[in-house]
């Protein structure tokens, strides 16, 4: 069954992360913000709203304590999700240089704007 939804979903922490990812990707990918750690109700809402059990889910969070905590939580709830890591050198998705972010996304078969791969 085909829906209008993108098959791929990238879960990020905040709006600045979302903007950064949206700038780089060329794929039809939905980017969802958690705005920090998730309570059970909020997670269930995301699960249902975005049909996360039936889509290709990618987790891209900051390499800091709150990001690592969120990644652990999402890993438990979404065992099928794939992880995209930014270098701890940049710590945050939002401050990762475009070309580095693009390379990490391409490695997970997510299409990016080729200008970022130079």
């Amino acid at each position: 069954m085909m829906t209008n939804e993108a098959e791929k979903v990238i879960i990020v922490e905040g709006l600045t992360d979302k903007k950064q990812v949206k700038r780089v990707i060329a794929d039809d990918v939905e980017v969802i913000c958690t705005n920090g750690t998730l309570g059970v109700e909020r997670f269930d809402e995301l699960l249902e709203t975005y049909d996360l059990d039936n889509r290709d889910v990618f987790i891209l969070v900051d390499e800091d304590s709150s990001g690592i905590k969120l990644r652990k939580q999402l890993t438990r709830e979404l065992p099928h999700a794939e992880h995209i890591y930014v270098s701890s050198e940049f710590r945050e998705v939002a401050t990762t240089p475009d070309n580095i972010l693009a390379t990490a996304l391409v490695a997970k078969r997510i299409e990016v704007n080729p200008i970022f791969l130079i």
Side-chain angles (χ1 to χ4, degrees):
M1 175 179 85
M2 285 301 289
T3 63
N4 293 337
E5 292 176 341
E7 275 181 36
K8 296 175 184 169
V9 179
I10 300 174
I11 299 176
V12 297
E13 281 177 271
L15 275 175
T16 52
D17 302 335
K18 181 176 182 171
K19 284 181 185 148
Q20 180 74 344
V21 171
K22 284 278 202 195
R23 264 171 31 88
V24 174
I25 57 176
D27 231 343
D28 182 22
V29 176
E30 191 155 8
V31 182
I32 303 171
C33 291
T34 65
N35 300 313
T37 52
L38 292 167
V40 173
E41 281 177 19
R42 172 91 173 106
F43 179 78
D44 287 345
E45 188 184 303
L46 285 178
L47 195 62
E48 244 175 71
T49 305
Y50 297 101
D51 193 24
L52 298 179
D53 283 332
N54 300 304
R55 293 169 77 185
D56 295 334
V57 179
F58 298 88
I59 299 168
L60 175 58
V61 294
D62 297 344
E63 288 300 313
D64 58 14
S65 58
S66 65
I68 291 164
K69 184 178 172 191
L70 179 60
R71 186 183 295 280
K72 282 183 182 154
Q73 181 186 9
L74 291 169
T75 302
R76 273 196 312 273
E77 304 288 349
L78 298 166
H80 71 290
E82 287 190 58
H83 296 269
I84 303 170
Y85 294 93
V86 295
S87 169
S88 52
E89 175 189 348
F90 307 115
R91 287 181 59 88
E92 296 177 11
V93 173
T95 56
T96 300
D98 294 339
N99 62 324
I100 308 268
L101 185 57
T103 303
L105 292 164
V106 164
K108 293 295 183 178
R109 305 168 311 283
I110 294 169
E111 206 178 310
V112 299
N113 186 328
I115 64 167
F116 297 115
L117 293 173
I118 298 166

